[in-house]
Amino acid sequence: MSDAVFALGVDLGGTKIEAALVDPAGTVLAGSRFRAPTGGTSTSEMLAASAESVVLQAIATLPDGATLVGVGIGSAGPITVAEGRVSPLNLPNWREYPLRDQVAALVPGVPVALRMDGECIALAEHWIGAGQGESNLMGMVVSTGIGGGLILGGRAIAGHTGNAGHIGHIEVGGFDDACLCGGTGCVEAVASGPKTTAWAQRQGWVGATGEDLAASYAAGDPIAIAAVARSGRAIGQAIASSTALVDLDLVAIGGGFSHVTPDLFDYIRDAIALRAPFPFVAKVRVIPSGLSGEGPLIGAAALIHRAEFVA
């Protein structure tokens, strides 16, 4: 494999950090994927140790003679892209943490790129997922949190600070849920998996997790149905507003809670359809992600393998 090249993809989220080697076709090298916990109660030292662990374990699987051409890091936001620092909302002990410098010290001599995880998802959808051939799309994750990233005019748009596309913190009309970001009615505070299950519990539902909610929905539980419909309406409103702003053609949605029921997408589309008087908004197509669970890692590696698409 002397001519093989790989990028290391690193994905930092609210519950875990992962790393894996990815080839130029967007395929994760078997046996190279490693995971370590993060979590809101983790100290900065614990988070740094988890990051170091997964990076070193993944690099150790680089085949003999193969070349590591760079490292791409996708992080939950907000981030400060110019300085390579991360401040994930759900990891309170990392504020302006120099993650890019930490990783770069572990892989001397190769470029290290940092972008928001939502942008990496958009890049992966554009590369090998549901957004292939599209020029104006959003990749979106509905999970523990809600994030997104933009491809406009065929280019990934980071913005000056690196946080462009952060759809989770668009406020949606008709909701007054408080958000950790300081907003009221942010779609993340309304429609993420944990927030949706918490709302259902306040209505008297007795389950505990998104998986429980999915089972209750499938069984016809009226509170579960109302909770999923509420989530879908908020997500649809946020997508419609985003489309009004940047004229999206496609939104591809992944993440654990996006699988709660296929009906979630119908609720999302119904909310967008209310914008029929504005055809350029109502025309946006919303479809499930074309990515596997490896999507965030592939998207992070795309910062290296597909650098020509990164603004």
Side-chain angles (χ1 to χ4, degrees), residues 11-48:
D11 177 55
L12 171 65
T15 59
K16 67 184 187 306
I17 184 169
E18 291 190 284
L21 295 171
V22 181
D23 72 16
T27 301
V28 172
L29 177 67
S32 74
R33 184 178 180 180
F34 295 89
R35 172 187 297 189
T38 56
T41 61
S42 296
T43 65
S44 179
E45 293 75 17
M46 292 166 65
L47 294 168

Side-chain angles (χ1 to χ4, degrees), residues 8 21 32 34 54-63 68 71 106-107:
L8 180 68
L21 295 171
S32 74
F34 295 89
V54 296
V55 168
L56 292 179
Q57 288 180 90
I59 290 172
T61 68
L62 188 70
L68 181 70
V71 181
L106 301 173
V107 287

Side-chain angles (χ1 to χ4, degrees), residues 169-191:
H169 297 281
I170 285 181
E171 296 186 4
V172 287
F175 299 93
D176 59 4
D177 306 59
C179 184
L180 290 174
C181 79
T184 301
C186 291
V187 66
E188 179 171 288
V190 176

Side-chain angles (χ1 to χ4, degrees), residues 13-178:
T15 59
K16 67 184 187 306
I17 184 169
E18 291 190 284
L21 295 171
V22 181
D23 72 16
T27 301
V28 172
L29 177 67
S32 74
R33 184 178 180 180
F34 295 89
R35 172 187 297 189
T38 56
T41 61
S42 296
T43 65
S44 179
E45 293 75 17
M46 292 166 65
L47 294 168
S50 286
E52 179 175 340
S53 171
V54 296
V55 168
L56 292 179
Q57 288 180 90
I59 290 172
T61 68
L62 188 70
D64 290 343
T67 301
L68 181 70
V69 293
V71 181
I73 305 169
S75 174
I79 66 174
T80 308
V81 72
E83 287 79 31
R85 296 177 180 270
V86 302
S87 305
L89 197 60
N90 294 322
L91 300 178
N93 287 315
W94 264 8
R95 289 295 175 263
E96 292 294 317
Y97 181 79
L99 180 60
R100 186 179 63 196
D101 288 350
Q102 181 196 355
V103 172
L106 301 173
V107 287
V110 301
V112 179
L114 168 72
R115 291 293 189 276
M116 199 167 65
D117 53 359
E119 182 181 356
C120 294
I121 289 293
L123 278 165
E125 294 286 6
H126 187 247
W127 184 14
I128 62 167
Q132 295 178 68
E134 297 287 342
S135 295
N136 300 288
L137 67 116
M138 175 177 283
M140 191 171 172
V141 174
V142 178
S143 187
T144 305
I146 292 181
L150 294 167
I151 304 280
L152 299 177
R155 303 269 292 175
I157 305 300
H160 174 66
T161 65
N163 294 286
H166 212 324
I167 191 173
H169 297 281
I170 285 181
E171 296 186 4
V172 287
F175 299 93
D176 59 4
D177 306 59

Side-chain angles (χ1 to χ4, degrees), residues 269-305:
R269 294 174 185 128
D270 288 347
I272 295 169
L274 297 175
R275 301 293 188 94
F278 262 23
F280 85 95
V281 173
K283 61 104 167 61
V284 65
R285 292 180 293 124
V286 180
I287 61 175
S289 168
L291 303 172
S292 68
E294 298 173 337
L297 292 166
I298 294 168
L303 296 173
I304 303 300
H305 285 314

